[in-house]
Amino acid sequence: MNQIISNNLNPHVSVDCVIFGFDGEQLKLLIIERKPKDAVSALPGDLIKDNENLDEAACRVLYELTGLKDIYLKQLQAFGDPDRIKDLADVRWLRDVREEPLTRVITIAYYSLVNLAELAPRPASFAKEVRWELVKKVGKLGFDHNYIVDKALEQLRLNLKYDPLIGFELLPEKFTLRQLQKLYEAVLDQPIDKRNFRKKFLTAKIVVSLDEKEQNVPHKPAQYYRFDRKRYMRIKDRFWF
Amino acid sequence: MNQIISNNLNPHVSVDCVIFGFDGEQLKLLIIERKPKDAVSALPGDLIKDNENLDEAACRVLYELTGLKDIYLKQLQAFGDPDRIKDLADVRWLRDVREEPLTRVITIAYYSLVNLAELAPRPASFAKEVRWELVKKVGKLGFDHNYIVDKALEQLRLNLKYDPLIGFELLPEKFTLRQLQKLYEAVLDQPIDKRNFRKKFLTAKIVVSLDEKEQNVPHKPAQYYRFDRKRYMRIKDRFWF
């Protein structure tokens, strides 16, 4: 019972962080393996403290378990099924780390899309290991975490379709349209028609061609573009249809 | 202390319902006045029960306080500021109705947009009164309910812009473009240019002109339209821009 956690934790409410990472080609998910005994993978998550608000709790918990900070976490939603903790491995684990292991816990999920290359997570607290796993290959996670990931992915896809800002914040200042398309294909998990895709961005004028091309590439150098944030802010109140 | 609530309530988590009602002209909000003593207005909300999930709790609480049922409630988000219950009137009221009045409560907010004419709310439980109030004229509400309403309104506006379905579900089968515009103007709280507005819907072909006009109206009869749900489902995966 040496893992029991200090007393100012609120045993009724937790936060869980769904961190999607893009590596230029594929979409990955940040998962931890729990200490001490079982090898169950899970989202980085823990109980909130009584003196912090939910956003603060999410940032603290992510930092404590993975060392990551300064990541913009957006609240996804609350998950509160009375049966969300029923798997025996989860129950056993809670018995080891929590003061009130049988208490019903409502969890508030947060999510983010980050540039994987810029981050170096390292395990701490009750995380034995932290790793990026291909979203498509994520296996069984603890608690209701697979369900939470599905919901977060749904939301991420909506965001990218209706608010491309989240994508541009991930790309470098200057990027090729191929890079942009890779991002959309990875998140939406579907091939996208190149011509239509480019036409969309160019017609909406939210990307602007730069007077510069790729250098030292083994293929025909592609044009660089930049995101026109001002134009985007001007048109973003338009209706979708 | 005769109002103390039965024991299977979970004292740590509540739900609050933001019900927006459209009356054909204006956007209103469903609010209750709390029993017994003070005259503080608030959203219909209460603690969850230990055996129900969050969606069920929201439906039950709305029904218990206002008599409304079969309303599609969508989760907005969780609100968990440690200071969300600090107003003295709120603290006094909690002392009268709750077994653990000082417990920190996280609330999960739900919202909906309904056709006001179809509903007849009536107060029950600790609601002394239920009424529709113009959104623009809502005064100070209990707890952090004004903040919750602001967030719900923000989300409702995004929905209507990016997913017009929520609007069409409110209108009758056949409607005039004036009715549709009224709805958008009421929710977005801004005048909309008539020509642009019509062009948008007609170009996207999500409304279809019917071979029928208004009858017995004191002005030039307007054309009736219907929503083309099939076409909408086909195009709704398009990017916004």
Side-chain angles (χ1 to χ4, degrees):
Chain A
M1 304 287 271
N2 60 338
Q3 297 273 331
I4 292 285
I5 284 161
S6 79
N7 227 338
N8 67 341
L9 290 177
N10 179 323
H12 311 284
V13 180
S14 67
V15 286
D16 282 296
C17 301
V18 186
I19 312 295
F20 294 110
F22 179 63
D23 64 3
E25 295 284 334
Q26 292 179 301
L27 189 66
K28 295 180 175 171
L29 175 70
L30 189 70
I31 57 180
I32 65 168
E33 299 254 334
R34 299 187 305 216
K35 277 200 291 204
K37 42 186 176 201
D38 62 10
V40 173
S41 303
L43 296 172
D46 200 359
L47 298 174
I48 67 170
K49 286 186 177 172
D50 257 336
N51 59 352
E52 67 192 352
N53 67 37
L54 302 173
D55 294 0
E56 288 163 352
C59 290
R60 173 185 58 79
V61 166
L62 181 64
Y63 177 71
E64 284 180 0
L65 289 168
T66 71
L68 297 182
K69 57 181 166 181
D70 299 328
I71 287 183
Y72 174 68
L73 295 167
K74 193 168 157 52
Q75 192 188 122
L76 175 66
Q77 66 169 92
F79 293 84
D81 198 283
D83 288 334
R84 49 181 301 273
I85 302 171
K86 62 179 175 197
D87 192 282
L88 276 181
D90 295 330
V91 175
R92 271 198 307 268
W93 181 75
L94 288 174
R95 254 192 221 124
D96 278 353
V97 298
R98 298 255 164 103
E99 285 184 340
E100 303 176 41
L102 298 179
T103 302
R104 176 178 178 185
V105 181
I106 311 291
T107 199
I108 320 295
Y110 281 76
Y111 73 109
S112 192
L113 174 63
V114 300
N115 185 337
L116 198 149
E118 290 169 0
L119 303 172
R122 45 128 197 94
S125 180
F126 61 76
K128 186 165 64 180
E129 190 193 322
V130 184
R131 65 169 185 280
W132 293 104
E133 192 136 300
L134 270 182
V135 166
K136 280 190 249 190
K137 299 222 165 143
V138 169
K140 184 175 171 347
L141 302 176
F143 309 114
D144 53 354
H145 289 185
N146 290 94
Y147 180 63
I148 294 177
V149 172
D150 287 348
K151 289 287 168 189
L153 193 53
E154 223 171 77
Q155 191 56 48
L156 180 66
R157 288 172 176 161
L158 281 178
N159 281 4
L160 202 63
K161 261 177 51 194
Y162 292 128
D163 188 2
L165 195 59
I166 189 173
F168 289 113
E169 284 178 343
L170 214 66
L171 293 174
E173 279 290 294
K174 55 183 188 187
F175 51 82
T176 67
L177 294 182
R178 183 178 174 281
Q179 282 179 293
L180 185 62
Q181 184 171 341
K182 277 276 174 200
L183 171 64
Y184 274 78
E185 288 182 329
V187 172
L188 302 180
D189 189 27
Q190 57 181 49
I192 295 177
D193 178 74
K194 182 171 153 181
R195 251 188 62 193
N196 278 343
F197 182 78
R198 295 182 171 216
K199 206 174 116 192
K200 270 212 167 295
F201 283 90
L202 295 171
T203 310
K205 294 185 186 141
I206 52 182
V207 299
V208 181
S209 163
L210 294 173
D211 197 13
E212 192 183 345
K213 288 192 175 188
E214 285 180 309
Q215 288 187 326
N216 305 319
V217 287
H219 49 77
K220 188 173 163 232
Q223 189 78 38
Y224 276 126
Y225 290 79
R226 70 169 176 83
F227 173 50
D228 188 341
R229 187 180 295 261
K230 271 191 197 152
R231 157 104 184 147
Y232 173 72
M233 297 312 282
R234 247 191 345 263
I235 70 169
K236 91 188 192 70
D237 266 338
R238 286 185 190 170
F239 291 23
W240 149 76
F241 46 89
Chain B
M1 302 288 271
N2 60 338
Q3 298 272 328
I4 291 286
I5 285 161
S6 79
N7 227 337
N8 67 340
L9 291 177
N10 180 322
H12 311 285
V13 180
S14 67
V15 287
D16 282 296
C17 301
V18 187
I19 312 295
F20 293 111
F22 179 64
D23 64 3
E25 296 283 334
Q26 292 179 301
L27 190 66
K28 296 180 175 171
L29 175 71
L30 189 70
I31 57 181
I32 64 167
E33 299 255 335
R34 299 190 303 219
K35 282 200 286 200
K37 42 186 177 201
D38 63 10
V40 173
S41 304
L43 296 171
D46 199 358
L47 298 174
I48 67 170
K49 287 186 179 175
D50 257 336
N51 58 352
E52 68 191 352
N53 68 36
L54 303 173
D55 293 1
E56 288 163 353
C59 290
R60 173 186 57 81
V61 166
L62 182 64
Y63 177 70
E64 283 181 1
L65 289 167
T66 71
L68 297 183
K69 57 180 165 181
D70 300 327
I71 288 182
Y72 174 68
L73 295 167
K74 192 169 158 51
Q75 192 188 119
L76 176 67
Q77 67 170 91
F79 293 83
D81 198 282
D83 288 334
R84 50 180 301 274
I85 302 171
K86 62 178 177 199
D87 192 283
L88 275 182
D90 294 331
V91 175
R92 268 199 308 267
W93 181 75
L94 288 174
R95 255 192 221 126
D96 278 353
V97 297
R98 298 254 165 102
E99 284 183 342
E100 304 176 40
L102 298 179
T103 302
R104 176 177 178 186
V105 181
I106 311 290
T107 200
I108 320 295
Y110 281 76
Y111 73 109
S112 192
L113 174 62
V114 299
N115 185 338
L116 199 149
E118 290 168 0
L119 303 171
R122 46 128 197 93
S125 180
F126 61 76
K128 188 166 60 181
E129 190 192 324
V130 184
R131 65 168 185 281
W132 293 103
E133 192 135 299
L134 269 181
V135 166
K136 281 191 249 189
K137 299 223 164 144
V138 169
K140 187 178 171 340
L141 302 175
F143 310 114
D144 53 355
H145 289 185
N146 290 94
Y147 181 65
I148 293 177
V149 172
D150 287 349
K151 289 287 168 187
L153 193 53
E154 225 172 75
Q155 192 55 50
L156 179 67
R157 287 172 177 160
L158 281 178
N159 281 6
L160 202 63
K161 261 176 54 193
Y162 293 128
D163 187 2
L165 195 59
I166 190 175
F168 288 113
E169 284 178 341
L170 214 65
L171 293 175
E173 279 291 295
K174 55 183 188 185
F175 51 82
T176 69
L177 294 183
R178 182 178 175 279
Q179 282 179 295
L180 185 62
Q181 183 169 343
K182 277 279 173 195
L183 170 65
Y184 273 78
E185 288 182 330
V187 172
L188 302 178
D189 190 26
Q190 57 182 48
I192 294 177
D193 178 75
K194 181 172 154 181
R195 251 188 60 193
N196 279 342
F197 182 79
R198 296 181 171 216
K199 205 173 118 194
K200 270 210 169 298
F201 283 90
L202 295 172
T203 311
K205 294 183 187 144
I206 50 181
V207 298
V208 182
S209 162
L210 293 173
D211 197 14
E212 190 182 346
K213 288 193 175 188
E214 287 180 307
Q215 289 188 325
N216 306 320
V217 286
H219 50 78
K220 190 175 160 230
Q223 189 78 38
Y224 276 125
Y225 290 79
R226 69 171 178 83
F227 173 50
D228 188 341
R229 186 181 294 260
K230 272 192 196 150
R231 157 104 184 147
Y232 173 71
M233 296 313 280
R234 252 197 335 269
I235 70 168
K236 91 189 194 68
D237 266 338
R238 287 185 188 169
F239 292 19
W240 150 76
F241 47 89

